[in-house]
Amino acid sequence: MENIDIVITWVDGMDPIWRKKKAKFIATDEDTQEAVRYRDYGTLKYLFRSIDTYCPWVHKIHLITDNQVPEWLDTSHPKINLVFHQDFIPKEYLPTFNSNTIELNLFRLKDLAEKFILFNDDMFINNPVYPENFFDGNQILDYGVYNRIAPVDVFAHTLINDLMIINKYFNKRDSFKKNWRKQLNFRYGKMLLSNVLTLPYKEITGYFNPHLPQPHLKSNFLKLYQLETTAFEQTFQNRFRGFDDINHWLCRYWMLEEGNYQPQKLSFGKYFDISEMKDILQEIRSDKFKLLCINDEESTQEDFEKWQGQLELAFQSKFPEKSSFEK
């Protein structure tokens, strides 16, 4: 079987050494949005347990941190590759607190397999997955579903920047002619209607973004870096997320437009905000979806600690035994 790796990006936002480093570059260290962006649920070990339980075929797990090491992690495990930012990101862009910079430099990570699945630390595997759930030959499994960008948050700027590059190289009507069987696919369920409604538009207005572990090809990152070096390096220069950033979804969109994908089932995974704790706990117990993303959001510290405790209890019940990745 061809090697498939997992990449996980993680930061412990309460680490005093890391906070002191960050404070040198930003005055609003206690800003609510910034705090949420770097807040750690304390559930990283359950992500590793979910991989050990439901994804034993993975070749390597690359845990990318800013010189932080989870105290429970057995770094001598043959599948673990602990990666610090300076191991693959050029020094002129360091230190960085921008996840887009970290992810878009993955083409420089020498030990990374051509096929990999990118996780954030708020993503989990909820029941068994297999290579064919993510890759079909050199094609990824994904959602070829168009949507529109709603300018409701800062993140929309990043998506617009991605789309400006995509529209520079692709015409939606040409893509539809080539990929219509993939775009009008019943695996998308109710999201299929979105493709129908955007048919009149020549320009690509946006995509359905599932916020789930994302399959990628390493060579695709390098190709796009070579094509759009200026856009990549502008992002790299932003120590924190900026309005002119692009992100790794650009690489995903490129594969969708080229037709280098096969339709993924809408029921493959589910995105939740952490405040939806009742539904989250139900899903952890029911195993309806294979993948989960439990996204942090602005809240009081009291609410966050309550949700964090409930989440940890649920995962401890689901994965009571230590994984092979733990000391």
Side-chain angles (χ1 to χ4, degrees), residues 65-250:
T65 82
D66 187 2
N67 294 282
Q68 297 175 319
V69 184
E71 54 86 19
W72 49 265
L73 184 67
D74 179 6
T75 57
S76 67
H77 192 289
K79 285 190 176 183
I80 296 294
N81 183 27
L82 183 65
V83 183
F84 297 148
H85 294 173
Q86 65 268 22
D87 294 336
F88 72 107
I89 299 175
K91 63 182 180 180
E92 59 264 35
Y93 304 127
L94 295 176
T96 186
F97 309 91
N98 184 346
S99 60
N100 297 326
T101 295
I102 298 164
E103 291 164 346
L104 286 173
N105 271 286
L106 286 174
F107 68 90
R108 304 184 197 269
L109 186 52
K110 292 181 179 178
D111 294 333
L112 181 62
E114 167 67 359
K115 296 179 181 178
F116 68 95
I117 308 164
L118 180 57
F119 280 70
N120 294 333
D121 62 358
D122 59 0
M123 297 174 178
F124 306 89
I125 304 176
N126 203 40
N127 66 55
V129 293
Y130 306 96
E132 56 268 27
N133 292 134
F134 300 97
F135 294 95
D136 182 354
N138 286 323
Q139 296 185 332
I140 61 173
L141 268 75
D142 211 323
Y143 304 89
V145 177
Y146 291 115
N147 209 331
R148 83 288 181 272
I149 295 176
V152 296
D153 55 24
V154 174
F155 187 63
H157 284 270
T158 301
L159 302 185
I160 289 170
N161 296 335
D162 290 342
L163 281 176
M164 287 180 67
I165 294 175
I166 290 296
N167 276 297
K168 177 178 171 183
Y169 292 96
F170 296 98
N171 178 294
K172 187 164 77 69
R173 291 177 182 172
D174 291 340
S175 295
F176 180 78
K177 289 176 184 178
K178 182 173 67 173
N179 301 317
W180 69 270
R181 292 181 185 274
K182 297 178 180 181
Q183 293 178 7
L184 300 181
N185 194 285
F186 288 108
R187 283 187 158 217
Y188 304 145
K190 63 183 180 181
M191 292 304 302
L192 179 58
L193 181 60
S194 183
N195 272 350
V196 175
L197 293 176
T198 57
L199 277 175
Y201 298 100
K202 176 183 176 182
E203 294 79 15
I204 298 163
T205 57
Y207 299 85
F208 166 60
N209 299 305
H211 292 271
L212 294 170
Q214 180 62 44
H216 277 299
L217 298 181
K218 182 180 178 180
S219 59
N220 199 41
F221 280 58
L222 176 58
K223 177 173 71 175
L224 282 168
Y225 171 73
Q226 292 170 337
L227 277 174
E228 291 290 333
T229 305
T230 300
F232 272 70
E233 293 190 348
Q234 177 60 64
T235 298
F236 299 164
Q237 290 168 15
N238 294 332
R239 294 195 189 277
F240 300 87
R241 288 187 185 179
F243 287 129
D244 49 6
D245 276 10
I246 57 175
N247 70 358
H248 75 94
W249 287 358
L250 170 65

Side-chain angles (χ1 to χ4, degrees), residues 285-299:
R285 290 191 294 265
S286 71
D287 294 343
K288 178 181 177 183
F289 298 98
K290 287 186 175 293
L291 303 177
L292 301 178
C293 176
I294 304 172
N295 188 54
D296 204 352
E297 59 183 310
E298 291 185 36
S299 65

